[in-house]
Amino acid sequence: MTVDYLARRIGMFVAVIFVATSFNFFLPRFTGQDPIATRLELLAAEGVTTRAEDYAALIETYNAKFGLDRPLVLQYLTYLSTAVRFDFGESITKYPTRVSELINQAMPWSIGLLVTSTLLAFVVGTLGGAVLAWQHGPKAAFELILPPFFLLAAVPYYLLGLILIWLLAFQAKLLPLGGGYAPTTLPDWSDFGFLWEVFKHSLLPALSIVLASIGFWALGMRSMMITMQGEDYMLQAEAKGLTKARAFFRYAVRNAVLPQTTALALTLPHVVSGAILVERIFGYPGIGRVLYEAITGFDYFVIQGVVFIIVLAIAFAMLVIDVIYPLLDPRISYSSA
Amino acid sequence: MATTAPTEPLATSSSPTSDTLNQAAGLWRYMKRNPSIIAGFVLLGIIILFWAFGTLMTAPEDAKDLAFAPPNKRPSLQNPHPCYSSENPRELCFAYDNEERQHFLGTDRLGKDILASFSQGIPQTIMIGLIAGSLGTVVGTILAFAAGYYGGILDAAIRFIVDTLQTIPGLLILIIITIAWREVGGGEMTFIQLALIIAMLAWLGPTRVVRSQVLVMKQRSYVEMARLSGMNGPEVILKEMMPNLMPFIVANFVLAVSSAILASIGLEALGLGDFSSNTLGMMIYHNIWYGSLVNGWWWWWSPPIVVIVILFIGLFMLSRGMDEWANPRLRRRF
C-alpha cells in the first residue's frame, strides 16, 4: 500500500515538474518578444552603434549562436535534455556569463537573507500565537504585543521596507540605504569587516520581512491552538495533573504545530525565487533581481534556469511533506491521501 | 439566518417594514458582537470619506501630468512658477494652476496635485480589486463545484492544473504576461486590462478552498437526502449547497479582492502598470522612480503608504469578521 502510494506520489512529482517547466518554456516565447533585439537595443543605448546592413547579419549570428533560429520543437527538446543536467546555457543579456554562474552568484544572497528571516519569523510567530491562545499562559503581555503584528501582516512587506528605509536609514542614518555591501568595498568573504558590512546591509530587508510575517505565523498557530484546546486529550492532560508546561508543549503545541510546519515547508522553497520586490527596493543582489532583469530583458535561458530550480524546489518540498506527514501525524494514513 | 434571539416576539412579522427593521436590528446586534467587521467597515469608510473629500476639493485635471498642461502654463526656467519659493516647501512647484487652487496635500514631481491623484486613484485601485476578485471568485467557485461535486477525471484534472500552477511563483507569471500584453497593445495598457491579467491567476485560491468545503458538505445528510429524492446535480448545487456555502464564498471574496489589489500594487511598483492612471501602485512606482524617500519629499510618499495600509488592514479585518460570520465555530472566544 505504501509503495503504491509512494509510486503514485513520485509520478505526480515528475508530472508537475514536466508541465511547469514546459509552461515556463513556452510562456516567454509566446509573448512575441525578441531577446536579441532587446539586447541590441541595450547595446545601442550604451553607445555601440551598428550599420543598418550589419544589423540583420548581427541578429542572424546571435540567433544561430543561441539556437533561436531552430524549430521550436527542437529548441524545446534541447531545453528538456539539458535542464535535467542543470545546464541552462549562456545568458543572452549578460553573454558570455553562464546561467548557472549567475544563479550561483545570486543564490547565497537570497537564501542567506530569506531563510534566516523566514525561520526567525516562524519561530517567534508560532510561539507567540501559541501563548496567545493558551488559557493558562502569560496572556496579558502577548495581547498587547501581538495584535499590531496581525495588522502588519496585512501590509505588503515592501511598503514596510520603504518606511524602514526612511526611518532607520534616511532619518536616523543607522543603517545603509540599500545594496548587498558598500559599493566602495571589495567582496572578501574571509575579511571580518566585510562580513559585518554584509550583515549591516541585510538588516533592513530582513527586518521588513520578519515584521511583516510574524503576524501570519501567529494567526495560524493561534487558531490551531484554539481548536486543540477543545479536544478531549487536553482535558485528559489536565485531569492527569500534568504540569502546565508539559501540557502546553507536549499536548497542545506538539499537535498544533503540524499544519504550521506544512506551511513553512511550502513557504521556504519560494525563498529560491527571492523576494523580487524587496530585493528591488533594497537593491539587494539576490536571485529575485536576477529573475526580474531576465524577465524584462527576455533572457529566455536565465528565466528557464531560475524557474526550473524554483519549480524543482517547490515540487520537492510538496513531495517530502506528503511522504513524511503520516509519520509526523499518525492520524493521517497513506491510503486516505 | 437566525440572527434574532429566540425570545424575540414573533408577532412583529406582521408588516414587511417592521420585518426589515427587525432584520436590521438583528444584524446590528450581531455586528456588535463581531468588532472585526465594524473595524473593517470603519477603515474602508475612512478611505471613502478621504476620496469624497478629494473629489470635492479638486478637479480631475489637477491629477494630470505636466505634459498635459497648456504650453503657456508650463513652468520653465525662464518663467518659474509663483509657488517656487522656500516658504512653500510642500509644492514641488510643478503644478500648473497653483494660483487658482489650493493644494491641500501638496503636489508631486510630475506636477500632479496629490489629493486629486487620490480621488482618481482610489476608485481605480478598488476597481482592479473588484474585477479580478469577482472574476476569480466566480470562476473558482464554478470549478470548485465541478471538481468537488462531480469528482472523477474532472476533479483530477482541475486539481492537477491548480497544483502545477501553484508551484510557479504567481508574480513571475503575472510579470511575463503583463510585459507581453503591453507589447501587444503597443506599450499601452489600461488598468482594466491589468485587472484582467491578474484575474487569470485569481481563481486558483478560491478553487482550492471552496473545493475542500464542497467535499465536506457533500457528505452531509441533507445533501444526500436531496440526491436520494431525485434532484439532479445542478439542482443540488444551486438549491442545497450554494445557500449554505454563500457566507464562506463571500468571506473568501473579500480575501480575493485584497490579494488582487496586492498583486496589482506589486506589478505597478515594478513599473508594469498603467502609466495614464493614478492607482495607488503607480504612486508608489513614481515615488521609487524619483527617489522621493532620499529626497525628503515626505508629503509625496507618505499619503499613498498610509492609504494602502488602511485599505489592506480594513480588508483584512473585514475578511476576518466575515470568516467568523461564515464559520460560527470561530466565534468562541478563549
Side-chain angles (χ1 to χ4, degrees), chain A residues 39-110:
Chain A
R39 177 174 161 84
L40 288 180
E41 271 168 33
L42 266 179
L43 283 178
E46 284 164 12
V48 182
T49 47
T50 328
R51 279 180 299 151
E53 59 264 37
D54 288 348
Y55 193 75
L58 200 57
I59 285 192
E60 209 170 288
T61 320
Y62 265 116
N63 274 332
K65 168 80 192 79
F66 291 107
L68 295 174
D69 52 348
R70 295 184 306 151
L72 206 56
V73 183
L74 280 183
Q75 288 185 44
Y76 177 59
L77 290 177
T78 316
Y79 160 63
L80 285 185
S81 59
T82 50
V84 291
R85 284 179 275 129
F86 292 99
D87 172 16
F88 306 109
E90 288 149 339
S91 162
I92 299 175
T93 45
K94 294 203 171 65
Y95 181 80
T97 320
R98 295 196 70 80
V99 175
S100 46
E101 200 179 313
L102 280 175
I103 295 176
N104 287 342
Q105 272 170 11
M107 202 62 97
W109 290 96
S110 281

Side-chain angles (χ1 to χ4, degrees), chain A residues 12 19 23 31 33 132 151 154 156 158-159 162-163 166 170 219 222 226 280 291-292 295 298 307 310 314, chain B residues 164 167-169 172 175 179-180 183 262 265-266 270 284 293-294 301 305 308 312-313 316 320 332 334:
Chain A
M12 176 82 180
V19 173
F23 183 71
T31 58
Q33 290 284 315
L132 193 62
L151 298 184
Y158 46 89
L159 289 187
L162 285 179
I163 300 172
W166 185 74
F170 183 68
L219 268 181
R222 177 180 158 271
I226 290 176
R280 198 162 155 70
L291 191 56
Y292 180 74
I295 293 172
F298 284 88
V307 176
I310 295 169
I314 295 174
Chain B
T164 310
T167 56
I168 309 179
L172 177 82
I175 291 174
I179 294 179
E183 223 46 46
L262 182 70
I265 294 179
L270 285 172
I284 298 291
L293 273 178
V294 289
W301 62 259
I305 290 187
I308 293 174
F312 277 121
I313 292 181
F316 169 72
R320 267 186 74 76
R332 198 161 57 87
F334 42 96

Side-chain angles (χ1 to χ4, degrees), chain A residues 215-237:
Chain A
F216 170 76
W217 298 114
L219 268 181
M221 188 62 179
R222 177 180 158 271
S223 61
M224 272 318 288
M225 283 290 282
I226 290 176
T227 320
M228 287 304 151
Q229 288 183 37
E231 298 281 345
D232 291 340
Y233 57 77
M234 287 310 299
L235 200 66
Q236 193 217 3

